[in-house]
């Protein structure tokens, strides 16, 4: 699931079409680290609270939906031209820290990792193991998504097909969310 389209990968791909990786390393790292913000609480028992509290579940769904709409808006409004305009949105480190905590696909992924790979009981050793595995896999695949966007930018296809690229990214984002909720 880390490699599939979702809010993080779609956003990183779109960002890759606009700027170079050196400028984006802090954002990519913060997106990777943002998964840690949900791995540890889930591992330590937030899943129990989530099952008990319907208000918490509803609030997270609404906040997540608003965040995903914001990501879609940023992608649609992003200037995919090859000019290096300083007017375009350039996400900061703190933007990346919001990506996974507000991403229902990430919550599903982490919850499934605890239930599928550790059928016995979750121990304090289980949590760092899952955290490190996610960290390494995310560093690889989030960078690949960013670099895929960069390759499209460098091939200059983006100038001719920017609306098609934006449509594919937004449809991928929506599909990942629909998959998560079904």
């Amino acid at each position: 699931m880390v490699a599939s389209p979702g809010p993080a990968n779609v956003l990183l791909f779109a960002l890759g079409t606009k700027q170079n990786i050196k400028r984006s390393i802090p954002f990519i790292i913060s997106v990777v680290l943002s998964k840690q913000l949900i791995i540890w609480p889930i591992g330590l028992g937030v899943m129990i609270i989530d099952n008990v509290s319907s208000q918490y579940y509803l609030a997270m769904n609404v906040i997540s939906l608003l965040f995903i709409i914001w990501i879609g808006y940023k992608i649609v409004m992003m200037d995919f031209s090859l000019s290096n305009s300083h007017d375009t949105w350039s996400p900061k480190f703190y933007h990346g820290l919001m990506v996974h905590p507000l991403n229902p696909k990430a919550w599903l992924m982490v919850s499934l990792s605890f239930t599928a790979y550790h059928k016995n009981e979750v121990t304090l050793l289980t949590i760092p193991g899952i955290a490190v595995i996610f960290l390494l896999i995310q560093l690889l695949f989030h960078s690949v998504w960013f670099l895929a966007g960069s390759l499209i930018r460098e091939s200059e296809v983006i100038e001719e097909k920017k609306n098609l690229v934006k449509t594919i990214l937004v449809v991928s984002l929506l599909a990942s969310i629909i998959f998560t909720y079904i």
Side-chain angles (χ1 to χ4, degrees):
M1 287 179 78
V2 171
S4 67
N9 290 333
V10 168
L11 183 58
L12 288 164
F13 184 93
L15 186 60
T17 64
K18 188 60 193 156
Q19 61 191 42
N20 66 34
I21 194 158
K22 183 178 179 183
R23 182 176 172 197
S24 300
I25 286 174
F27 182 71
I28 294 169
I29 290 171
S30 69
V31 170
V32 169
L33 292 175
S34 74
K35 183 78 64 91
Q36 301 298 313
L37 296 174
I38 62 174
I39 289 172
W40 292 88
I42 288 173
L44 294 171
V46 169
M47 285 177 18
I48 295 168
I49 294 169
D50 188 36
N51 290 335
V52 174
S53 175
S54 61
Q55 293 87 7
Y56 171 77
Y57 180 72
L58 177 63
M60 282 305 294
N61 278 335
V62 170
I63 292 168
S64 295
L65 179 62
L66 291 174
F67 181 68
I68 290 164
I69 290 170
W70 178 76
I71 289 174
Y73 169 79
K74 287 297 191 182
I75 290 169
V76 169
M77 299 308 289
M78 192 177 278
D79 177 17
F80 277 17
S81 68
L82 295 177
S83 64
N84 288 328
S85 171
H86 294 290
D87 299 354
T88 54
W89 177 65
S90 180
K92 307 289 185 251
F93 185 83
Y94 65 88
H95 288 121
L97 291 176
M98 294 186 289
V99 171
H100 286 110
L102 298 177
N103 176 353
K105 180 183 162 209
W107 281 79
L108 175 67
M109 191 182 330
V110 172
S111 298
L112 288 174
S113 71
F114 279 103
T115 58
Y117 296 110
H118 297 283
K119 293 180 181 171
N120 298 331
E121 69 181 64
V122 175
T123 68
L124 288 178
L125 295 176
T126 308
I127 301 167
I130 288 175
V132 168
I133 289 169
F134 268 112
L135 187 80
L136 296 173
I137 291 171
Q138 284 179 268
L139 282 170
L140 172 67
F141 284 108
H142 288 341
S143 297
V144 166
W145 274 83
F146 182 89
L147 291 172
S150 293
L151 287 173
I152 285 183
R153 177 176 42 95
E154 290 173 10
S155 71
E156 298 183 8
V157 169
I158 199 73
E159 286 286 346
E160 301 165 11
K161 305 285 185 188
K162 62 183 164 193
N163 288 335
L164 176 62
V165 172
K166 287 180 182 184
T167 301
I168 290 169
L169 290 173
V170 170
V171 167
S172 296
L173 182 66
L174 292 172
S176 76
I177 301 310
I178 290 168
F179 169 77
T180 301
Y181 283 109
I182 291 181

